Amino acid sequence: GGAEPAGGSTRNFLLETLRQYAREQLDAAGGSDHWRRRHAEHYLAFARDVGPGLRGPDEIAWRTRLMEEFDNVRVAVNWGLDRDEAEDALVAIRIVGAISVEAAMRRGSGVGAWAVRALERADLMDEVELFDIRSGAVWDLYQRGDLVAARDLSLEAIRDGIPPSPNNSTSAHACAATSSVNLGDIETAMRVFEDGLVGVDAHP
């Protein structure tokens, strides 16, 4: 057909066509899981590079890098979360955890929804992974208008304090406080806010 792809994005259309062709060839060769695992591991390393940048002074530049590769990140996360194998699921979980701050920054990114989905595999996660995933998931709940669930999961995430070396140290506190304010519970909001300030001082 001669129809122009939506938005006139011929380059994106061609890239997606090539990706689809490559997926079909991998499936036909019977090696798709091997290559998809390598692909996911590559994007875990990428996410671990990008994550700190999203929280630093060059946030905009790092977000641009993330957006340029976001389709690949999405493929890696969805593949890993679809897998029964714990190792593959953990790669996806760690990608989401590394960039979980995006759930608060950009509602349309889908990172919060990935975090909600990843919570189904909470039994695989260590303390920091669970904290990071909850910190992303709370914003998906909040942005969908489920303030009670957002507040409750936020409070659960921060109940034992901020673990050492999280990728997303303040999102759960911010969501707990914001949700509490919107629910009319100013006392909880102030307590959470004060706890969050202590946590930030402990995790510069």
Side-chain angles (χ1 to χ4, degrees):
E4 179 76 354
S9 183
T10 305
R11 178 179 180 274
N12 287 342
F13 176 76
L14 290 172
L15 284 173
E16 185 50 41
T17 302
L18 286 169
R19 284 190 194 106
Q20 181 63 34
Y21 175 76
R23 282 193 291 267
E24 290 169 359
Q25 295 303 304
L26 283 170
D27 288 339
S32 64
D33 282 336
H34 169 76
W35 291 108
R36 287 177 179 172
R37 185 174 295 112
R38 288 190 60 181
H39 177 269
E41 288 168 350
H42 172 81
Y43 280 97
L44 172 56
F46 172 77
R48 285 174 166 164
D49 283 343
V50 169
L54 295 173
R55 304 186 304 276
D58 297 322
E59 171 192 345
I60 304 276
W62 283 101
R63 181 161 292 110
T64 299
R65 278 194 67 190
L66 177 60
M67 290 305 96
E68 288 170 350
E69 294 291 345
F70 206 75
D71 285 346
N72 280 309
V73 173
R74 181 184 297 109
V75 167
V77 168
N78 286 330
W79 175 81
L81 293 180
D82 283 342
R83 299 281 291 166
D84 291 331
E85 288 79 358
E87 277 186 43
D88 296 337
L90 275 169
V91 171
I93 287 163
R94 289 167 181 160
I95 291 171
V96 178
I99 59 171
S100 60
V101 70
E102 274 298 275
M105 299 305 296
R106 291 190 324 111
R107 178 180 183 185
S109 71
V111 174
W114 297 343
V116 169
R117 190 173 167 214
L119 279 176
E120 296 170 10
R121 312 295 290 273
D123 58 303
L124 301 177
M125 301 179 204
D126 66 22
E127 177 188 34
V128 173
E129 290 160 353
L130 185 57
F131 184 85
D132 286 334
I133 293 298
R134 284 171 168 164
S135 295
V138 295
W139 287 106
D140 185 67
L141 297 170
Y142 179 85
Q143 290 156 355
R144 286 194 276 121
D146 195 344
L147 300 181
V148 172
R151 178 201 60 195
D152 291 351
L153 184 58
S154 299
L155 292 174
E156 189 178 336
I158 64 179
R159 181 182 53 217
D160 298 323
I162 302 173
S165 304
N167 289 301
N168 195 356
S169 61
T170 59
S171 274
H173 284 84
C175 190
T178 305
S179 300
S180 296
V181 166
N182 285 319
L183 290 165
D185 185 356
I186 306 302
E187 185 177 337
T188 296
M190 291 303 296
R191 176 176 56 78
V192 167
F193 182 71
E194 289 167 5
D195 288 348
L197 289 177
V198 171
V200 169
D201 288 341
H203 296 79

